[in-house]
Amino acid sequence: MSMRTLPLLFLNLGGEMLYILDQRLRAQHIPGDKARKVLNDIISTMFNRKFMEELFKPQELYSKKALRTIYERLAHASIMKLNQASMDKLYDLMTMAFKYQVLLCPRPKDVLLVTFNHLDTIKGFIRDSPTILQQVDETFRQLIEIYGGLSAGEFQLIRQTLLIFFQDLHIRVSMFLKDKVQNNNGRFVLPVSGPVPWGTELPGLIRMFNNKGEEVKRIEFKHGGNYVRAPKEGSFELYGDRVLKLGTNMYSLNRPVETHMSGSSKNLASWTQESIAPNPLAKEELNFLARLMGGMEIKKPSGPEPGFRLNLFTSDEEEEQAALTRPEELSHEVINIQATQDQQRSEELARIMGEFEITEQPRLNTSKGDDLLAMMDEL
Amino acid sequence: MVAADLEGPYEPAVSRADLGLRVHWCVLPFRVLLVLASHRGIQMYESDGSTMVYWHALDSGDATPVQAVFARGIAASGHFICVGTWSGRVLVFDIPAKGPNIVLSEELAGHQTPITDIATEPAQGQDCVADMVTADDSGLLCVWQSGPEFTLLTRIPGFGVPCPSVQLWQGIIAAGYGNGQVHLYEATTGNLHVQINAHARAISALDLAPEVGKLLSAAEDTFVHIWKLSRSPESSYIEAAPLL
């Protein structure tokens, strides 16, 4: 599997997270300056140089659970808090949206355009903050440098790695259902019309040649789809028309973010398996988290700025209800493992995790020998 | 039919981390082996899956940290089993009539990018000694003659897209590409004789029904097509016609 996948996965999921948070901040009428602060803090943490350095190192993808921990950390990088149910919903929406984008990319290389679309919009969120803008542009340049020269074969491997990461994820998203890009069984609809990928000919022609390479016969046939020529290629520069719409912000104030959790238990068989079987990669995942989160510089909230809670649902009652009725298999309960064996790593991770400020619930046990993951459970 | 499961009871176990697993029945003169290729290496089992007869760990020596290491592309040729690798090298294993005494007899150099697929057929006669085609991520095809030492006969260059799937039939090479095209080449000369704009997305797989000369192409555009392959009675140039 490709060792270059993580930056693309992380940045695109992060982009989707910001789109959703931005929409919810506006829907919940959070004052403009507070909303801007939250987005600025999160974006600035995401594009922190040390963190990006760790992210861009060649490495394998880790599990959805491990990745979710990073986003939970990110979402709490500012004065905003999310309850468990809202965080669950946020992660579900992020992952389904990016899965959709990857699936529908006409060429494997177009996942880079999707990433650029996310970054372009992120730059829009922070256009008044030149320092953060610079961080984002730095990452942009790194992406162009690393991915700009990759071959089609390497992008195909990246695509496969991403799709395997998203395999068996079939959460229904009401916006996708309404737009008929997702079926009721959670599967996405693959369109058979529209422009062909850049570099692909319109299907429907057979050409036959002689030994000298001269065309001697041709047959046309009906293909079954309804394709047109690609108008132009999207730009892979720092600025430019990406042409592709995948990865642009599909949320607006009028399109609420909802997920359907009921009736999807049939698709959860593999999720159940994942949470019951002991995870042999657990130790490596902890190391990965320690490295990545160690690179995250979370600014301690200074000054009198009071925190607030963001709700991904339309009411507190709905949020509570969602937490209660969430199918067992989908709850992101972490597995208990003996992380204490790797004492040094455990301590470092414990220190990082300790930076989580939980003012509501006092932590009951603070002995170092405790399961690290039990601490994560308390978030 | 074999369905590849991610959990196997044998050591080295095929575990959850073995994503991108390829499986192929290799029909040899005196036995059938089930061959699995993944990022760990190559496993060969007796055809009923009861015993693992051979395990080859991949040598990642030359790989840079950023390169993915894996085996991909499996085919049987006579009493050899050929498996492609991430480096472009093709491993040739000599298989005895029975038992586990399998030997890596040769490593073929011809490709610089990861192998995607290998196709074989018995040699067609004196005029066409080609019996194996290997394809890679750059779209390059290499045409070989098998033997105690394999000989590279022709190279058919790519054009910037991977060739995920290749078939060989009666001296005709059928290649499916990442841009949705299917090409038919004459194996002896390497000349392109048929170019089909078959699909709107990358081709996932080709399959061939040898008795009737029908080629099937499946692609990420959700379509499956069937083509009739033939030779022109006058010129004996390769031709293709759409059936489905």
Side-chain angles (χ1 to χ4, degrees):
Chain A
M1 291 296 107
S2 176
M3 307 284 266
R4 290 190 177 94
T5 317
L6 186 60
L8 297 180
L9 181 63
F10 176 78
L11 289 170
N12 284 294
L13 286 180
E16 286 302 315
M17 180 174 88
L18 290 165
Y19 291 172
I20 298 165
L21 291 179
D22 169 63
Q23 196 272 337
R24 289 310 300 162
L25 287 166
R26 285 184 282 124
Q28 220 171 291
H29 305 295
I30 302 294
D33 57 333
K34 271 197 178 161
R36 256 190 310 280
K37 177 169 171 52
V38 168
L39 292 182
N40 278 10
D41 285 348
I42 294 177
I43 294 171
S44 149
T45 310
M46 252 178 89
F47 288 89
N48 167 274
R49 164 160 279 167
K50 228 177 115 200
F51 181 74
M52 280 290 135
E53 244 174 58
E54 277 301 326
L55 192 74
F56 274 87
K57 285 187 182 151
Q59 57 197 307
E60 288 184 20
L61 284 192
Y62 288 94
S63 68
K64 290 187 263 300
K65 283 200 186 69
L67 214 57
R68 180 202 142 96
T69 313
I70 309 239
Y71 288 108
E72 184 146 3
R73 186 95 174 87
L74 258 187
H76 288 90
S78 186
I79 53 176
M80 179 191 75
K81 299 279 175 284
L82 289 172
N83 279 349
Q84 197 60 229
S86 280
M87 185 65 222
D88 285 343
K89 179 169 166 181
L90 176 62
Y91 194 60
D92 289 342
L93 286 173
M94 286 158 57
T95 43
M96 286 311 285
F98 187 42
K99 176 175 180 173
Y100 171 71
Q101 289 153 15
V102 174
L103 262 176
L104 261 70
C105 270
R107 289 177 305 178
K109 184 174 184 178
D110 291 338
V111 74
L112 200 53
L113 290 175
V114 174
T115 318
F116 290 165
N117 272 334
H118 280 115
L119 291 187
D120 287 340
T121 314
I122 289 175
K123 280 164 72 170
F125 287 145
I126 44 146
R127 85 183 125 244
D128 298 326
S129 316
T131 21
I132 316 176
L133 207 52
Q134 219 177 2
Q135 286 173 262
V136 178
D137 270 343
E138 190 49 51
T139 304
F140 221 122
R141 278 187 215 100
Q142 225 182 338
L143 282 172
I144 294 173
E145 195 188 301
I146 294 178
Y147 294 92
L150 288 191
S151 69
E154 281 164 310
F155 274 112
Q156 177 68 340
L157 196 62
I158 289 174
R159 176 185 168 79
Q160 279 167 0
T161 312
L162 286 170
L163 290 177
I164 289 173
F165 181 83
F166 290 122
Q167 192 168 7
D168 298 326
L169 207 58
H170 299 298
I171 301 165
R172 289 144 62 216
V173 177
S174 74
M175 190 157 55
F176 289 143
L177 293 171
K178 278 202 197 91
D179 289 349
K180 302 229 185 295
V181 298
Q182 189 181 29
N183 292 328
N184 267 319
N185 60 0
R187 267 69 171 174
F188 287 118
V189 176
L190 298 175
V192 293
S193 59
V196 287
W198 186 258
T200 294
E201 299 288 333
L202 283 180
L205 180 64
I206 305 177
R207 299 171 69 201
M208 287 166 266
F209 308 93
N210 63 14
N211 268 335
K212 297 198 210 79
E214 298 158 340
E215 186 182 309
V216 293
K217 194 167 164 190
R218 53 165 57 193
I219 300 177
E220 286 185 22
F221 64 93
K222 281 194 99 51
H223 174 254
N226 187 17
Y227 295 101
V228 295
R229 293 207 169 283
K232 59 177 173 164
E233 191 180 14
S235 162
F236 289 91
E237 307 290 315
L238 197 58
Y239 300 99
D241 179 8
R242 312 296 173 196
V243 180
L244 198 64
K245 293 285 160 266
L246 296 169
T248 54
N249 195 347
M250 55 184 180
Y251 301 101
S252 69
L253 202 54
N254 299 324
R255 307 205 78 180
V257 285
E258 290 170 35
T259 51
H260 287 252
M261 306 310 294
S262 60
S264 43
S265 41
K266 271 194 293 259
N267 305 320
L268 299 177
S270 60
W271 278 77
T272 316
Q273 257 184 316
E274 196 181 313
S275 53
I276 288 173
N279 183 3
L281 295 178
K283 185 124 144 244
E284 284 167 48
E285 278 185 3
L286 278 189
N287 287 345
F288 157 73
L289 288 178
R291 275 187 302 111
L292 236 58
M293 304 217 289
M296 257 197 220
E297 275 171 26
I298 304 283
K299 291 187 278 258
K300 294 274 193 280
S302 55
E305 202 73 71
F308 67 92
R309 196 172 56 77
L310 190 75
N311 189 346
L312 269 271
F313 300 84
T314 42
S315 70
D316 285 350
E317 292 73 37
E318 218 189 288
E319 193 187 40
E320 268 173 46
Q321 190 58 27
L324 293 170
T325 59
R326 188 174 178 82
E328 201 50 51
E329 306 84 49
L330 271 190
S331 65
H332 294 274
E333 303 244 338
V334 281
I335 319 146
N336 281 334
I337 61 155
Q338 291 309 314
T340 49
Q341 276 155 15
D342 194 353
Q343 201 58 26
Q344 193 189 21
R345 281 286 187 196
S346 305
E347 277 168 19
E348 194 192 320
L349 192 52
R351 179 190 63 74
I352 296 165
M353 301 309 295
E355 285 170 25
F356 275 97
E357 304 256 307
I358 308 152
T359 49
E360 291 136 65
Q361 305 142 20
R363 245 192 285 135
L364 295 170
N365 39 33
T366 51
S367 64
K368 278 213 171 89
D370 268 4
D371 248 339
L372 287 163
L373 301 177
M375 284 206 273
M376 281 157 65
D377 247 348
E378 287 168 27
L379 290 170
Chain B
M1 185 180 94
V2 64
D5 190 327
L6 286 178
E7 257 106 40
Y10 310 104
E11 287 298 340
V14 176
S15 73
R16 221 157 231 290
D18 267 331
L19 309 166
L21 187 66
R22 274 21 182 219
V23 189
H24 189 78
W25 292 116
C26 288
V27 179
L28 303 149
F30 298 106
R31 69 200 294 193
V32 175
L33 289 181
L34 182 64
V35 180
L36 280 61
S38 72
H39 77 277
R40 289 181 193 287
I42 300 155
Q43 299 165 49
M44 301 192 191
Y45 290 83
E46 292 292 3
S47 58
D48 60 358
S50 59
T51 342
M52 185 171 73
V53 293
Y54 188 69
W55 156 247
H56 177 92
L58 282 177
D59 174 18
S60 59
D62 290 345
T64 62
V66 88
Q67 261 168 320
V69 170
F70 53 85
R72 187 171 61 184
I74 308 166
S77 180
H79 60 91
F80 296 105
I81 288 180
C82 299
V83 183
T85 66
W86 58 276
S87 62
R89 258 171 300 194
V90 177
L91 307 176
V92 181
F93 297 93
D94 197 335
I95 315 292
K98 58 182 181 186
N101 200 16
I102 295 170
V103 176
L104 173 62
S105 78
E106 214 183 337
E107 285 193 34
L108 306 178
H111 293 272
Q112 250 69 54
T113 54
I115 302 292
T116 49
D117 197 14
I118 306 179
T120 57
E121 72 164 349
Q124 294 298 292
Q126 293 222 324
D127 294 332
C128 180
V129 296
D131 55 4
M132 181 165 93
V133 183
T134 51
D136 74 18
D137 258 352
S138 73
L140 169 69
L141 302 172
C142 287
V143 186
W144 308 84
Q145 177 184 16
S146 69
E149 265 181 36
F150 278 58
T151 317
L152 178 61
L153 300 172
T154 331
R155 301 177 100 220
I156 301 172
F159 45 91
V161 284
C163 176
S165 188
V166 72
Q167 293 284 324
L168 183 58
W169 178 70
Q170 299 200 351
I172 300 173
I173 298 170
Y177 293 90
N179 68 347
Q181 281 186 335
V182 175
H183 289 189
L184 302 179
Y185 302 92
E186 190 68 64
T188 42
T189 59
N191 289 341
L192 172 68
H193 282 280
V194 181
Q195 183 182 306
I196 312 177
N197 296 341
H199 292 277
R201 293 283 189 280
I203 296 206
S204 314
L206 294 179
D207 202 0
L208 207 138
E211 289 99 52
V212 290
K214 289 186 186 168
L215 178 73
L216 183 148
S217 62
E220 290 192 36
D221 64 356
T222 75
F223 286 95
V224 166
H225 281 297
I226 299 182
W227 318 92
K228 177 79 181 72
L229 306 190
S230 58
R231 285 185 181 277
S232 151
E234 304 97 34
S235 59
S236 84
Y237 290 147
I238 307 166
E239 296 190 328
L243 290 181
L244 182 69

